[in-house]
C-alpha cells in the first residue's frame, strides 16, 4: 500500500493577503485558485518553489470559532517545516524583506535551522537538512 498526504489546510483570514505573503514574499508557487460558487469559497493551493511534495490549502476562516485558530493552528509550536537547498540565501532574503525570525540560525545534527513567523504568527522552521541525515532522504 502507498499513501501520501497531499494537502495541509492552513486557516487564513483572507485569501489575497495570504497569497501576497506566501507567493510574493516566500516565493511559493500558486498551484490552483478556483472559485467554488456552490460553497462561495475559493480552492487555493500553494507550494514551495519546485516542490513535488505536500501542498498547502489556504482555507479562509468562515465561522467565528475558526478565527481563533488563525496563526495558532499548533498551539504555539512550530507548525510547518520549510526545507531549502540554500539556507543562507533564503534566510538573508527573508530578513531583508522583514520576515520575523523568533529563533536565530543554529546548526543541529540534522542541519541548519531558524524559526520564523508567517503573517499570522504561525511558527515555521526554515531548514537545510544535512544530506547524510535520514530526514534528507525523504525530501
Amino acid at each position: 500500500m502507498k499513501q501520501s498526504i497531499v494537502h495541509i489546510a492552513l486557516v487564513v483570514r483572507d485569501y489575497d493577503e495570504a497569497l501576497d505573503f506566501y507567493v510574493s514574499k516566500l516565493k511559493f508557487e500558486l498551484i490552483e485558485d478556483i472559485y467554488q460558487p456552490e460553497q462561495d469559497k475559493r480552492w487555493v493551493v500553494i507550494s514551495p518553489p519546485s516542490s513535488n511534495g505536500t501542498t498547502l490549502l489556504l482555507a479562509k476562516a468562515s465561522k467565528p470559532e475558526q478565527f481563533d485558530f488563525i496563526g495558532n493552528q499548533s498551539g504555539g509550536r512550530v507548525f510547518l517545516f520549510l526545507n531549502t537547498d540554500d539556507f543562507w540565501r533564503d534566510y538573508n532574503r527573508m530578513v531583508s524583506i522583514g520576515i520575523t525570525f523568533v529563533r536565530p540560525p543554529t546548526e543541529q545534527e540534522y542541519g541548519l535551522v531558524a524559526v520564523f513567523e508567517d503573517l499570522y504568527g504561525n511558527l515555521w522552521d526554515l531548514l537545510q537538512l544535512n544530506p547524510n541525515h535520514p530526514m534528507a532522504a525523504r525530501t
Side-chain angles (χ1 to χ4, degrees):
M1 175 169 45
K2 182 176 180 171
Q3 298 180 336
S4 62
I5 295 175
V6 179
H7 307 296
I8 295 176
L10 180 64
V11 181
V12 300
R13 183 175 36 244
D14 178 81
Y15 294 117
D16 293 324
E17 77 178 1
L19 284 171
D20 182 57
F21 180 83
Y22 291 108
V23 174
S24 298
K25 291 188 176 179
L26 289 187
K27 302 299 181 194
F28 279 32
E29 296 172 353
L30 177 61
I31 306 300
E32 291 182 274
D33 187 352
I34 301 167
Y35 179 65
Q36 298 177 320
E38 65 282 353
Q39 297 177 21
D40 192 29
K41 69 178 185 179
R42 288 161 61 183
W43 178 262
V44 181
V45 178
I46 60 173
S47 74
S50 302
S51 176
N52 60 1
T54 305
T55 61
L56 290 179
L57 172 67
L58 302 181
K60 183 178 175 184
S62 60
K63 297 188 253 181
E65 58 270 16
Q66 293 174 352
F67 283 90
D68 293 338
F69 292 96
I70 296 171
N72 192 27
Q73 289 193 205
S74 62
R77 294 186 60 110
V78 171
F79 177 50
L80 297 164
F81 301 79
L82 181 61
N83 187 40
T84 179
D85 63 346
D86 188 333
F87 178 90
W88 292 111
R89 174 199 65 212
D90 293 343
Y91 174 81
N92 290 326
R93 187 187 63 76
M94 291 165 74
V95 167
S96 76
I97 61 171
I99 293 178
T100 301
F101 278 82
V102 298
R103 279 187 237 143
T106 60
E107 188 154 348
Q108 301 294 325
E109 67 176 56
Y110 54 84
L112 288 169
V113 63
V115 179
F116 70 94
E117 292 180 323
D118 68 13
L119 75 163
Y120 300 114
N122 291 303
L123 297 179
W124 291 64
D125 270 1
L126 174 66
L127 43 90
Q128 182 175 357
L129 296 170
N130 287 333
N132 58 347
H133 193 275
M135 286 190 338
R138 304 183 131 202
T139 60

